Structure formats: C-alpha cells, structure tokens
Amino acid sequence: MEFQFQYRITYGNGQFYDRPHVMTVQISMDEYKKIILGVLEGKRIEKIDDISEAIEKMTEMVHYIDRWINMNGSQSISA
C-alpha cells in the first residue's frame, strides 16, 4: 500500500528543517497497522517494533530528496 509521510531533517550541527513535501513509499499492510497502532500509543516512529524496512524506505527517499533541496527550500542545481 502507499504510505504518505512528512519529515524533519536534523543536521549534525543540530539545525533542523521541516520539509513541507509529502513523500510516498510502498509498505505492507502489516507495517501500516504497526505504524498506526504505535502512533496511537504515542510512540515515535523509530521506536515502533518490526517496521525497519518501512523506515529504511522512508530514509532512502528523504536522503535522495535532501540532496536536491537547500535549507531555504530552493532547489540545488549540480553541474
């Protein structure tokens, strides 16, 4: 199923940037249920058991996008 999420990037210097983008990854229905139940219990997503593949997919997507977007929201253009 398609899972949509938003994210915050925290850089090594402690500075962070909340991205307004909504990203989508494919996850299993079982992972979706675990995420929803965990969030309803008040858990942070990284503290929810047995969803490491879903987190890995989301992390890969965020890393890819972060290469192309500057902290001010403008796009990076590499030569």
Side-chain angles (χ1 to χ4, degrees):
M1 78 171 300
E2 289 187 357
F3 181 73
Q4 295 182 335
F5 66 99
Q6 287 183 295
Y7 57 96
R8 168 183 279 185
I9 296 176
T10 304
Y11 297 96
N13 64 3
Q15 190 172 10
F16 66 88
Y17 185 76
D18 290 316
R19 304 286 189 195
H21 307 91
V22 175
M23 307 302 302
T24 303
V25 293
Q26 292 291 323
I27 63 172
S28 71
M29 183 61 75
D30 187 52
E31 290 171 318
Y32 177 77
K33 288 178 185 177
K34 289 176 183 179
I35 291 170
I36 296 304
L37 290 174
V39 169
L40 288 173
E41 292 173 3
K43 294 181 181 178
R44 293 176 54 93
I45 196 164
E46 64 271 10
K47 299 293 184 185
I48 300 171
D49 295 330
D50 302 322
I51 62 163
S52 59
E53 286 183 33
I55 290 175
E56 185 176 320
K57 289 177 186 178
M58 289 185 270
T59 301
E60 287 175 6
M61 181 71 70
V62 169
H63 285 172
Y64 176 77
I65 294 299
D66 189 49
R67 294 185 337 194
W68 302 104
I69 300 177
N70 298 315
M71 289 195 63
N72 67 2
S74 65
Q75 292 186 352
S76 297
I77 299 177
S78 300

